[in-house]
C-alpha cells in the first residue's frame, strides 16, 4: 500500500490544489459553495487511513508522535491566521459583530466551529448574524476532530483483531463500510429534516472520510485499464468543477448529493498515473499545481477573512470581477508568506524532536496566545457594552416617547446612542431564564413566567415568534407595575398560526402551535398577546394570514381575548449597522414609510374576524409620517435587520400600557405600587 500511495501522491497533491482553487473561486467570484470541501474530506480519509493501516499492520499505532506531527502541521498557520484576524477585526469590523466573532474565533481555535455554527443554525436568533470572518473554519474543525477520532477507531479495530486472532484488513474494511453506510443514511435523513444543522454536523460528514479510507484499503487490489483510467481522471475533474455550478451546495448538502464531489475526487485518485500525455494526472501533477497544493491549506485559511474584510471595508454585499481578482491575489500572497515564513520553518524545526511532549507544549503555547488575545478583545468589548438602563423620563434617551403627542425634547440632542453598537446585536428582550422550564403538559414547549408580588391581578400569555417575544421588552415593565403575570411561550420563526407561515411545510411549527393552543386553553389566562400581521417589508404587501385568524378563533372558543399586534418593519440591512458605518443622519439608513406600511392596516378590511381579537398598531412609534428611521430618541430601534431592540421596546412601556388596558377594558384598574427596592 505504501508504494501505491506514493505512486498516487502527485495526483493527490494536484487534486487538493484543484479543490482549493474551486472553493476560493466559487466563494469569491460566484458567491457559491463548490463541493471542494467534500473532496478535502475524502482526501484526508484516504491519506490518514492508509498511514494508520500501515501502522496497524506493523502491530502498533504510535499516537503521541503522530498527533505531535499533526499539531506541528496544522496549528502554526491556523493560529497565525486567527491572531491576525483578531487584530484586523478590532479595526475593520463593526462593533455590533464583535461578540459573535469572538465566540467563533474561540470555537475555531478549539476546532469546534462546526458545532458552533450548527448551534447557530438551529437558533433562529443567530441566523441574523452576518457571516463571521472565521466561518470557514467549520470544515477545518471537522477535519481536526477526524484526526483525533479516526486513529482511535483504527486502534480499536487493531485491538479487536488481535484479541480475536483475525486479520486487520477485512475487519477494518467492514468497520469503515459500516461507518460509511450509517453516516450516509443519517446524512440523508438529517438533510431532509434540518439541512442547516446537517451541513455542519460532524456525523453527517463521517461517511466522506470513510469513503476515502475504503478507497485507500482497496486501491492496490483494483485493476483498471489505462483507457478507463484516463476517462475516470477527466470525469472526476469535470465533476468537481461542475458540482457547484449545477447544485445549490449550500442548501442541499450533504445528503446523497454530496456523493457527486466525493465520487468525483475518488475517480481522480482511482485514475492515478495513466502515463498518457492527455491524461488529467498530467495536468494535476504539473509543477504549478503541486506548488499550489503546498499552499492550499494556507490559501483556504486566508481567502475567507480577506473576502469578508473586503466586503466590510467597501460596504458591499458582493464583489465584482476586479474586486474578486484583488481578493484572490491578496489571499494568495498571504498564503505564500504563511507557507514559507510559518509552516515550513515550524515543520523543519526541532520542535517535538528533542523531547517527547515538545510538540504538545508548542501547541498549548500557540493556542494560549490566541485565547489570551480573544480574552483581551472580550474584555474590551464588555467594557464598551455598557449596562446602561434607561430610567423613566430619561431626558437624554426618550426613545419611543419622542413620538408621543405633544412631546418636547428636554435632553441633549447629541447624547450617546443606546444600546452601544457592541451590545445592540445581543439586545434581546425576555423573561429571566431562571424562571423558564418545560411545560408539564408538553415537553416541546418552553414556558417562562414572570415574578409577581403575591397573587397576580392579571395573567397574559405572549406567544408566537421572536417578534412577539421582543414585545416583552415593553410589556414586562407594565406587568411589574400592575402586578400582572406574564407567561411567554415562543418559538423562533414560528408565528402563532395553524400554518407554518414563515417556513412553508414546517410540520414541527404546526405541531408546536397546536400544543400552544392546548396549553393556553388549559391555563385560561386573561389575554393572549401575539403578532397580528406579517411581511412589513419593501416590495411585499402586509397581510393577515388565514392561519393567524384560524388560531385566534380556537382561542375565542375558550373565551380568551387576543391582542394582535401589527408587526414591526423588516429591512434588507441592519439599520443599526448602517448607522455605525454611515452615521445617524445617513438617508440610506432610513426607509420611506409608504414602502413598508400602507395607510390602512390590512385587518381593517377583513370580515368575519373572531370577536375576541383586539388589534394594536404601534407603527407610529417605529416610523414618522415620512420614514422609518434607525434611531428614535437617541435609542437604536433595531438589533438586526428585523428585530426591534429590547432597549427601544422598554421605552414603549407607557405606550403599551395605555394601548393594552384600553383595548381590554382594564384602563380603570389601578396600578400597584412597586415593591420596596423594585
Amino acid at each position: 500500500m505504501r508504494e501505491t500511495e506514493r505512486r498516487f501522491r502527485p495526483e493527490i497533491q494536484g487534486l487538493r490544489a484543484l479543490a482549493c482553487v474551486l472553493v476560493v473561486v466559487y466563494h469569491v467570484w460566484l458567491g457559491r459553495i463548490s463541493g471542494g470541501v467534500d473532496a478535502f474530506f475524502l482526501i484526508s480519509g484516504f491519506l490518514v487511513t492508509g498511514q494508520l493501516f500501515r501502522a496497524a499492520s506493523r502491530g502498533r499505532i504510535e499516537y503521541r508522535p503522530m498527533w505531535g506531527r499533526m499539531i506541528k502541521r496544522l496549528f502554526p498557520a491556523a493560529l497565525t491566521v486567527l491572531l491576525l484576524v483578531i487584530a484586523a477585526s478590532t479595526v475593520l469590523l463593526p462593533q455590533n459583530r464583535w461578540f459573535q466573532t469572538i465566540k467563533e474565533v474561540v470555537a475555531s481555535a478549539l476546532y469546534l466551529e462546526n458545532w458552533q455554527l450548527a448551534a447557530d443554525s438551529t437558533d433562529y436568533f443567530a441566523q441574523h448574524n452576518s457571516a463571521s470572518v472565521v466561518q470557514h473554519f467549520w470544515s477545518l474543525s471537522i477535519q481536526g476532530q477526524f484526526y483525533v477520532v479516526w486513529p482511535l477507531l483504527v486502534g480499536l479495530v487493531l485491538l479487536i483483531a488481535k484479541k480475536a486472532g483475525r486479520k486487520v484488513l477485512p475487519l477494518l474494511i467492514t468497520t469503515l463500510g459500516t461507518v460509511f453506510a450509517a453516516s450516509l443514511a443519517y446524512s440523508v435523513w438529517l438533510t431532509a429534516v434540518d439541512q442547516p444543522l446537517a451541513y455542519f454536523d460532524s456525523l453527517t460528514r463521517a461517511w466522506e472520510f470513510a469513503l476515502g479510507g475504503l478507497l485507500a484499503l482497496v486501491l492496490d487490489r483494483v485493476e483498471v485499464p489505462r483507457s478507463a483510467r484516463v476517462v475516470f481522471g477527466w470525469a472526476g475533474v469535470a465533476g468537481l468543477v461542475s458540482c457547484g455550478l449545477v447544485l445549490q451546495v449550500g442548501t442541499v448538502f450533504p445528503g446523497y448529493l454530496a456523493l457527486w464531489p466525493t465520487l468525483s475526487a475518488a475517480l481522480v485518485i482511482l485514475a492515478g498515473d495513466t502515463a498518457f500525455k492527455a491524461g488529467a494526472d498530467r495536468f494535476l501533477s504539473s509543477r504549478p499545481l503541486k506548488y499550489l497544493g503546498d499552499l492550499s491549506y494556507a490559501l483556504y485559511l486566508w481567502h475567507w477573512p480577506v473576502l469578508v474584510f473586503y466586503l466590510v471595508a467597501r460596504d458591499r454585499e458582493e464583489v465584482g470581477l476586479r474586486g474578486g481578482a484583488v481578493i484572490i491575489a491578496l489571499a494568495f500572497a498571504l498564503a505564500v508568506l504563511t507557507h514559507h515564513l510559518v509552516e515550513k520553518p515550524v515543520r523543519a524545526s526541532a520542535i517535538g524532536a528533542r523531547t517527547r511532549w515538545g510538540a504538545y507544549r508548542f501547541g498549548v503555547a500557540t493556542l494560549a496566545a490566541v485565547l489570551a488575545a480573544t480574552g483581551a478583545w472580550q474584555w474590551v468589548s464588555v467594557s464598551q457594552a455598557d449596562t446602561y438602563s434607561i430610567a423613566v423620563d430619561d431626558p437624554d434617551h426618550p426613545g419611543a416617547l419622542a413620538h408621543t403627542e405633544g412631546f418636547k425634547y428636554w435632553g441633549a440632542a447629541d447624547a450617546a446612542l443606546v444600546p452601544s453598537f457592541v451590545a445592540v446585536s445581543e439586545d434581546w428582550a425576555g423573561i429571566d431564564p431562571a424562571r423558564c422550564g418545560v411545560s408539564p403538559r408538553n415537553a416541546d414547549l418552553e414556558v417562562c413566567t414572570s415574578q409577581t408580588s403575591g397573587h397576580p391581578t392579571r395573567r397574559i400569555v405572549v406567544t408566537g415568534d421572536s417578534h412577539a417575544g421582543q414585545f416583552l421588552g415593553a410589556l414586562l415593565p407594565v406587568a411589574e407595575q400592575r402586578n400582572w403575570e406574564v407567561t411567554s411561550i415562543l418559538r423562533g420563526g414560528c408565528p402563532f398560526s395553524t400554518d407554518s407561515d414563515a417556513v412553508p411545510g414546517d410540520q414541527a411549527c404546526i405541531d408546536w402551535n397546536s400544543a400552544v393552543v392546548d396549553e393556553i386553553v388549559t391555563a385560561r389566562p386573561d389575554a393572549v398577546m401575539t403578532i397580528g400581521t406579517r411581511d412589513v417589508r419593501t416590495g411585499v404587501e402586509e397581510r393577515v394570514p388565514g392561519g393567524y385568524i384560524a388560531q385566534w378563533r380556537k382561542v375565542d372558543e375558550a373565551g380568551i381575548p387576543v391582542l394582535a399586534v401589527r408587526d414591526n418593519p423588516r429591512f434588507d440591512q441592519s439599520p443599526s449597522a448602517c448607522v455605525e458605518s454611515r452615521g445617524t443622519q445617513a438617508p440610506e439608513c432610513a426607509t420611506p414609510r409608504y414602502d413598508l406600511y400602507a395607510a390602512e392596516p390590512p385587518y381593517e378590511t377583513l370580515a368575519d374576524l373572531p370577536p375576541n381579537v383586539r388589534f394594536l398598531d404601534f407603527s407610529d412609534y417605529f416610523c414618522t409620517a415620512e420614514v422609518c428611521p434607525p434611531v428614535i430618541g437617541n435609542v437604536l430601534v433595531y438589533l438586526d435587520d428585523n428585530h426591534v431592540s429590547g432597549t427601544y421596546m422598554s421605552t414603549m412601556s407607557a405606550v403599551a400600557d395605555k394601548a393594552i388596558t384600553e383595548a381590554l377594558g382594564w384602563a380603570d384598574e389601578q396600578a400597584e405600587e412597586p415593591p420596596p427596592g423594585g
Side-chain angles (χ1 to χ4, degrees):
M1 179 175 290
R2 180 188 296 273
E3 186 61 35
T4 300
E5 186 180 309
R6 183 182 294 114
R7 180 165 56 89
F8 283 76
R9 186 170 290 276
E11 289 73 33
I12 293 174
Q13 188 78 334
L15 178 60
R16 182 188 287 118
L18 175 63
C20 182
V21 168
L22 291 174
V23 168
V24 172
V25 169
Y26 274 66
H27 275 169
V28 174
W29 266 324
L30 302 180
R32 296 168 66 98
I33 299 174
S34 68
V37 167
D38 302 272
F40 283 145
F41 291 163
L42 180 131
I43 293 169
S44 295
F46 177 83
L47 295 175
V48 173
T49 303
Q51 295 167 6
L52 291 170
F53 175 72
R54 290 194 296 274
S57 299
R58 295 191 296 268
R60 183 178 182 182
I61 298 175
E62 298 286 348
Y63 289 102
R64 181 187 55 77
M66 176 189 63
W67 283 329
R69 290 191 297 270
M70 288 182 180
I71 289 173
K72 286 181 65 175
R73 182 165 56 88
L74 299 178
F75 274 33
L79 299 182
T80 296
V81 170
L82 289 179
L83 280 172
L84 293 174
V85 161
I86 292 171
S89 296
T90 59
V91 177
L92 297 175
L93 278 189
Q95 292 183 9
N96 64 79
R97 295 172 63 173
W98 281 12
F99 279 131
Q100 180 68 17
T101 304
I102 289 169
K103 183 167 59 175
E104 292 194 27
V105 166
V106 172
S108 298
L110 298 176
Y111 286 86
L112 297 172
E113 171 68 350
N114 67 306
W115 291 115
Q116 178 63 58
L117 294 175
D120 286 351
S121 74
T122 59
D123 177 0
Y124 175 75
F125 304 128
Q127 291 179 1
H128 299 282
N129 296 336
S130 299
S132 162
V133 289
V134 294
Q135 186 168 292
H136 63 313
F137 268 77
W138 74 268
S139 63
L140 301 177
S141 296
I142 290 180
Q143 284 186 291
Q145 295 157 29
F146 162 77
Y147 290 142
V148 173
V149 173
W150 214 249
L152 296 176
L153 175 64
V154 176
L156 178 62
V157 171
L158 174 60
L159 179 63
I160 293 173
K162 285 183 176 179
K163 295 290 185 181
R166 298 177 58 184
K167 292 184 177 181
V168 174
L169 181 59
L171 188 57
L172 187 55
I173 290 176
T174 301
T175 301
L176 296 193
T178 302
V179 172
F180 172 82
S183 173
L184 180 57
Y186 174 67
S187 180
V188 171
W189 172 80
L190 189 60
T191 301
V193 173
D194 190 344
Q195 188 275 332
L197 173 60
Y199 195 86
F200 300 115
D201 191 327
S202 299
L203 297 179
T204 64
R205 303 285 184 163
W207 67 266
E208 301 180 33
F209 295 99
L211 181 59
L214 288 170
L215 185 61
L217 296 177
V218 304
L219 186 61
D220 58 356
R221 292 166 174 78
V222 177
E223 291 292 336
V224 181
R226 190 178 76 162
S227 58
R229 287 192 284 117
V230 172
V231 175
F232 285 176
W234 282 117
V237 169
L240 281 174
V241 172
S242 62
C243 177
L245 292 174
V246 177
L247 301 177
Q248 288 288 347
V249 175
T251 57
V252 299
F253 268 40
Y256 66 90
L257 288 174
L259 285 165
W260 182 326
T262 50
L263 289 179
S264 296
L267 284 175
V268 174
I269 295 176
L270 190 59
D273 183 5
T274 65
F276 186 64
K277 291 183 178 181
D281 55 296
R282 193 69 174 263
F283 161 68
L284 293 174
S285 60
S286 63
R287 183 173 297 179
L289 263 293
K290 289 192 334 189
Y291 181 65
L292 193 54
D294 291 336
L295 296 179
S296 60
Y297 180 50
L299 181 59
Y300 180 83
L301 286 170
W302 275 118
H303 87 281
W304 186 259
V306 173
L307 171 61
V308 173
F309 286 136
Y310 175 89
L311 293 174
V312 171
R314 299 296 300 274
D315 194 19
R316 293 183 178 180
E317 295 294 326
E318 57 185 23
V319 300
L321 187 63
R322 183 184 302 174
V326 171
I327 292 169
I328 293 174
L330 180 56
F332 182 80
L334 290 170
V336 170
L337 291 174
T338 303
H339 178 66
H340 289 284
L341 300 182
V342 178
E343 289 184 287
K344 290 183 68 175
V346 172
R347 291 183 193 178
S349 70
I351 294 173
R354 296 176 180 174
T355 60
R356 292 171 57 86
W357 300 99
Y360 293 84
R361 286 196 292 269
F362 168 75
V364 170
T366 53
L367 179 60
V370 172
L371 296 181
T374 310
W377 188 15
Q378 173 80 4
W379 180 83
V380 172
S381 300
V382 171
S383 67
Q384 294 189 31
D386 54 63
T387 56
Y388 183 86
S389 178
I390 296 179
V392 177
D393 296 334
D394 185 323
D396 291 332
H397 302 93
L401 295 179
H403 279 196
T404 55
E405 186 176 355
F407 173 79
K408 294 182 179 179
Y409 199 78
W410 59 85
D414 59 348
L417 300 180
V418 295
S420 67
F421 290 117
V422 174
V424 67
S425 62
E426 304 291 328
D427 194 19
W428 298 99
I431 296 171
D432 184 354
R435 300 191 59 80
C436 298
V438 175
S439 166
R441 287 172 287 275
N442 193 307
D444 291 333
L445 302 182
E446 182 183 53
V447 179
C448 304
T449 305
S450 66
Q451 188 170 8
T452 60
S453 177
H455 187 74
T457 58
R458 295 286 185 182
R459 294 184 302 122
I460 298 179
V461 171
V462 177
T463 189
D465 61 6
S466 55
H467 282 215
Q470 282 306 89
F471 270 94
L472 289 167
L475 182 58
L476 289 175
V478 179
E480 183 178 5
Q481 183 182 11
R482 293 184 174 274
N483 200 36
W484 295 346
E485 180 185 87
V486 177
T487 299
S488 67
I489 311 175
L490 304 168
R491 181 185 175 97
C494 187
F496 190 53
S497 173
T498 57
D499 296 325
S500 56
D501 298 275
V503 182
D506 186 355
Q507 187 61 44
C509 175
I510 295 174
D511 295 341
W512 179 86
N513 264 307
S514 179
V516 170
V517 170
D518 293 340
E519 186 80 10
I520 290 172
V521 171
T522 301
R524 302 195 68 82
D526 295 294
V528 171
M529 187 173 184
T530 190
I531 298 298
T533 68
R534 67 174 293 106
D535 293 331
V536 182
R537 64 171 72 238
T538 301
V540 182
E541 186 176 357
E542 183 186 9
R543 61 192 176 91
V544 180
Y548 287 22
I549 299 173
Q551 194 80 319
W552 302 339
R553 190 165 280 117
K554 290 182 179 181
V555 178
D556 179 50
E557 293 171 359
I560 302 170
V562 171
L563 293 168
V565 183
R566 192 177 189 185
D567 203 3
N568 62 265
R570 299 169 185 260
F571 306 92
D572 295 331
Q573 63 173 341
S574 168
S576 295
C578 182
V579 169
E580 182 180 2
S581 62
R582 302 183 183 182
T584 306
Q585 302 303 318
E588 57 268 38
C589 296
T591 302
R593 177 171 178 147
Y594 59 78
D595 285 351
L596 300 167
Y597 285 116
E600 186 178 48
Y603 46 79
E604 292 289 351
T605 58
L606 291 178
D608 195 30
L609 284 169
N612 66 326
V613 179
R614 283 77 163 163
F615 287 97
L616 303 181
D617 184 357
F618 297 112
S619 59
D620 287 343
Y621 298 95
F622 300 130
C623 308
T624 66
E626 294 81 24
V627 299
C628 299
V631 176
I632 297 175
N634 284 338
V635 179
L636 292 169
V637 182
Y638 303 96
L639 65 87
D640 57 19
D641 61 0
N642 73 103
H643 291 95
V644 181
S645 71
T647 300
Y648 185 77
M649 277 295 189
S650 71
T651 69
M652 287 180 57
S653 59
V655 175
D657 186 358
K658 184 174 185 294
I660 293 170
T661 55
E662 288 183 354
L664 295 174
W666 302 346
D668 294 333
E669 296 180 3
Q670 296 296 316
E672 293 194 0
E673 290 295 326

